[in-house]
Amino acid sequence: VLLLNMAGMLMMAFSALAMVITFRKATAVSPLSLIISIGISALSATILASLSKPHPGWLLSFAGLFFGALLGCGWGLTTEVFSEGGKLQSRGSGWYLAVWVLTMMITQLIPMLTGRTPATAAILLFAGAGLVLGNSGLMIARWWSTKSRFNPSQQGGAG
């Protein structure tokens, strides 16, 4: 158990280091990647929560998803979306990093305060899926809006 705890702390430290080093790096916005991310998160949360005993109930799971999505939308608003060289790019800001830190703290503190129950873990799974849904969904909407603004011929319709 101690070895697993140490490995978890080491992975968390590397994750934090990678985020601090790379959050300002511009990356291409890919709606397909964002959609795949949403699907994997939702499917993982559903499967793992279904296997969880005792299950917190779908109402609490939905509440976790809803509040996670709200936080995800807030997180998505902290991301700069811009066009560079004809490609849509995104880049994190200081607020982006702050929301990431807050999210990491919440996912660590809640289980500690609630005794790490399976029901709490299931709710946090749905909150995590909601976070991805809110952030990625907002990024897709921002991609579409920015793409339409910079490339009017891509709006669809009869010109």
Side-chain angles (χ1 to χ4, degrees):
V1 173
L2 178 61
L3 187 59
L4 285 175
N5 287 340
M6 294 298 287
M9 289 184 346
L10 189 60
M11 286 176 21
M12 178 73 76
F14 280 128
S15 177
L17 180 62
M19 178 58 91
V20 168
I21 291 171
T22 64
F23 82 100
R24 290 291 300 157
K25 183 179 182 237
T27 58
V29 176
S30 167
L32 180 60
S33 295
L34 295 167
I35 290 168
I36 290 170
S37 180
I38 291 170
I40 289 171
S41 294
L43 184 63
S44 298
T46 302
I47 290 170
L48 291 172
S50 296
L51 297 174
S52 173
K53 302 294 182 215
H55 189 278
W58 292 108
L59 183 62
L60 284 175
S61 297
F62 178 77
L65 182 74
F66 177 77
F67 288 111
L70 286 177
L71 183 58
C73 284
W75 193 21
L77 289 172
T78 66
T79 304
E80 179 187 359
V81 177
F82 57 96
S83 179
E84 186 175 275
K87 290 184 178 181
L88 292 173
Q89 305 278 322
S90 69
R91 177 176 32 232
S93 65
W95 284 110
Y96 178 91
L97 186 61
V99 172
W100 182 82
V101 168
L102 175 67
T103 303
M104 294 301 279
M105 288 173 53
I106 288 170
T107 59
Q108 298 303 307
L109 288 175
I110 289 177
M112 287 173 30
L113 297 173
T114 61
R116 300 181 193 272
T117 66
T120 302
I123 293 169
L124 286 174
L125 281 170
F126 278 99
L131 184 78
V132 173
L133 174 66
N135 188 4
S136 296
L138 185 67
M139 289 301 295
I140 291 168
R142 292 178 72 194
W143 173 86
W144 188 261
S145 170
T146 304
K147 184 86 169 161
S148 298
R149 218 172 343 146
F150 287 104
N151 196 354
S153 66
Q154 297 297 318
Q155 288 179 339

